[in-house]
Amino acid sequence: MRSFLVILLVVPLFALPAAGGTRGASPDTVSARWGRPLVGRLVVLRGFDPPARPWLAGHRGVDLATTPGAEVHAAGAGTIGYAGPLAGRAVVTVLHPGGLRTTYLPVRPSVRRGQRVSRGEVIGVVQDVPGHCRTACLHWGLLRDHSYLDPLLLLGQGRVRLLPVWPVGPR
């Protein structure tokens, strides 16, 4: 019988680079550098559910309940990497230090590519576009390089996942 080791995969909030690019900051310091994309209590309509493989179906962010026309705020300081239409919906992407990138859709942008933004700055408003959610929502995503992460980690929330690690070679 083969045995396997289970690794607890936890991305603690303090392991994410702060907007200033520092690693290893305390959770209180980092949480002060990240904020909510919407004003008020966040209601998650659909949580983060990454695919087993990059090309498979999954939910690569969280859907937050909101209303059309609601202001969307940058979760952290950075530079606008994209602001415009993509596959029938408008998208805003903010590039943060340390290889992090947050995405927001459907959002009619009030920013342009290359513009610097600070945490909490309004980057657009939620569009009333059918399709992604049954009701108005903001899809909020987080990537580190090419790996999708739960954006709720930026707020000290998120899910802990257990992943098996299979031994390599004969035992």
Side-chain angles (χ1 to χ4, degrees):
M1 177 162 138
R2 293 189 144 206
S3 63
F4 64 93
L5 172 68
V6 175
I7 292 180
L8 179 62
L9 175 66
V10 180
V11 181
L13 183 59
F14 54 86
L16 293 171
T22 59
R23 286 190 177 267
S26 73
D28 291 335
T29 303
V30 174
S31 63
R33 300 206 180 179
W34 296 101
R36 299 167 182 231
L38 298 170
V39 173
R41 186 173 145 259
L42 295 184
V43 176
V44 177
L45 298 174
R46 185 174 175 198
F48 179 66
D49 185 20
R53 299 276 186 243
W55 58 87
L56 296 175
H59 195 241
R60 294 164 174 86
V62 295
D63 293 337
L64 305 172
T66 190
T67 57
E71 292 182 333
V72 178
H73 303 263
T79 303
I80 301 299
Y82 185 81
L86 184 67
R89 295 177 286 193
V91 176
V92 175
T93 299
V94 180
L95 308 174
H96 307 280
L100 288 181
R101 185 172 53 191
T102 51
T103 58
Y104 311 81
L105 66 112
V107 175
R108 186 178 66 229
S110 59
V111 291
R112 66 189 183 296
R113 187 170 187 253
Q115 180 178 337
R116 301 235 354 111
V117 294
S118 57
R119 179 183 66 90
E121 187 171 334
V122 175
I123 57 175
V125 296
V126 175
Q127 290 181 302
D128 189 8
V129 180
H132 189 74
C133 298
R134 295 180 202 263
T135 181
C137 75
L138 172 69
H139 179 85
W140 183 30
L142 173 65
L143 293 94
R144 173 180 278 142
D145 300 318
H146 298 288
S147 298
Y148 287 90
L149 302 171
D150 188 341
L152 295 175
L153 291 169
L154 297 175
L155 305 176
Q157 303 170 18
R159 218 173 18 174
V160 173
R161 301 185 66 198
L162 295 175
L163 301 175
V165 175
W166 304 100
V168 178
R171 289 201 134 223

